[in-house]
Amino acid sequence: GAVVSQHPSRVICKSGTSVKIECRSLDFQATTMFWYRQFPKKSLMLMATSNEGSKATYEQGVEKDKFLINHASLTLSTLTVTSAHPEDSSFYICSASNPRGPNSNQPQHFGDGTRLSIL
Amino acid sequence: AQKITQTQPGMFVQEKEAVTLDCTYDTSDQSYGLFWYKQPSSGEMIFLIYQGSYDEQNATEGRYSLNFQKARKSANLVISASQLGDSAMYFCAMREGRTNAGKSTFGDGTTLTVKP
């Protein structure tokens, strides 16, 4: 079964709305989670690294005030797209790795993604 | 900086045949992990196979095998006995370091279409 749960799976809303996406690790405590954005038929673009109990680390070119990340607990990270506009429409996907894996061959576990459509 | 290159935007294969998806990488780190993921049209990312930089044997997982050539910095995915359900986008990814907590870099992906 899924070890990372992401909700909602699909959002359609009006321009100017803020949208919150949740990413939960189900079977382990994730001190670090990652948020990606993906355009159709394109690669995953890392937006930010979500760190439990501290500020997120954003990749170059990603607006911190636009994409708010909160990692308030060891099992939950949220991404809020503030004042969303049509250009924010995309597929957003989160991932987490189990830090207690015995070695580095543990893959990232991905949520099922959120399709965001801003009208 | 890490870089993953997948030079095949799209590939076609006949059902039941084998196919190789190319991946080359660039890193200055000695410790790293290489991963392949499958992404069907529904969007979820499915982990397929892993190869560590110190692994001497090529990784295998069922019909998936990884042709790891460290000196050439390549980590090609081989899918044997292709099935219609293998049609999807495939991503090669690299994570530097020895822990599970590091971020990964993804290639641009290869869209595989299996023909009946």
Side-chain angles (χ1 to χ4, degrees):
Chain A
V3 296
V4 173
S5 173
Q6 184 173 344
H7 291 280
S9 58
R10 183 180 293 270
V11 180
I12 302 173
C13 57
K14 294 181 179 179
S15 185
T17 307
S18 291
V19 179
K20 180 185 283 188
I21 303 170
E22 293 188 348
C23 182
R24 294 181 185 273
S25 58
L26 302 179
D27 297 333
F28 59 93
Q29 294 180 331
T31 53
T32 303
M33 292 185 177
F34 302 96
W35 287 97
Y36 297 87
R37 181 174 182 176
Q38 186 182 28
F39 292 102
K41 299 295 186 182
K42 298 295 184 183
S43 185
L44 278 69
M45 181 188 75
L46 180 65
M47 299 175 64
T49 303
S50 175
N51 305 300
E52 188 271 334
S54 64
K55 291 182 179 180
T57 305
Y58 288 83
E59 296 299 304
Q60 191 172 10
V62 178
E63 298 178 61
K64 301 178 183 181
D65 296 332
K66 178 71 168 177
F67 300 100
L68 299 179
I69 290 173
N70 185 282
H71 196 148
S73 78
L74 285 170
T75 59
L76 175 64
S77 174
T78 60
L79 168 68
T80 301
V81 184
T82 62
S83 187
H85 290 93
E87 58 266 29
D88 299 322
S89 298
S90 192
F91 186 65
Y92 294 87
I93 191 166
C94 69
S95 76
S97 297
N98 187 344
R100 293 186 178 180
N103 48 45
S104 61
N105 69 351
Q106 304 299 311
Q108 291 187 53
H109 299 287
F110 288 85
D112 287 343
T114 298
R115 296 193 186 278
L116 176 62
S117 299
I118 309 297
L119 305 177
Chain B
Q2 305 177 55
K3 185 174 174 60
I4 295 285
T5 303
Q6 293 180 254
T7 58
Q8 306 154 315
M11 287 285 285
F12 291 88
V13 65
Q14 204 68 37
E15 193 179 8
K16 299 181 184 178
E17 292 186 350
V19 62
T20 298
L21 306 184
D22 295 342
C23 173
T24 58
Y25 60 92
D26 189 22
T27 180
S28 56
D29 204 327
Q30 295 300 311
S31 297
Y32 51 88
L34 296 158
F35 301 81
W36 277 92
Y37 294 88
K38 172 184 177 182
Q39 187 180 41
S41 57
S42 50
E44 71 270 26
M45 293 286 284
I46 302 167
F47 165 69
L48 297 178
I49 196 166
Y50 164 87
Q51 181 82 42
S53 58
Y54 293 112
D55 294 342
E56 295 183 352
Q57 302 279 345
N58 284 343
T60 59
E61 288 287 347
R63 293 187 300 111
Y64 305 109
S65 61
L66 202 152
N67 184 359
F68 181 46
Q69 298 187 40
K70 192 171 182 177
R72 298 179 60 184
K73 293 190 176 178
S74 73
N76 298 338
L77 176 70
V78 180
I79 305 175
S80 63
S82 297
Q83 301 172 356
L84 296 178
D86 293 336
S87 293
M89 199 158 185
Y90 289 80
F91 290 99
C92 179
M94 178 171 62
R95 183 170 64 203
E96 290 183 337
R98 290 179 175 272
T99 72
N100 297 323
K103 61 184 180 182
S104 298
T105 301
F106 288 81
D108 288 340
T110 296
T111 300
L112 176 66
T113 303
V114 181
K115 298 194 282 188

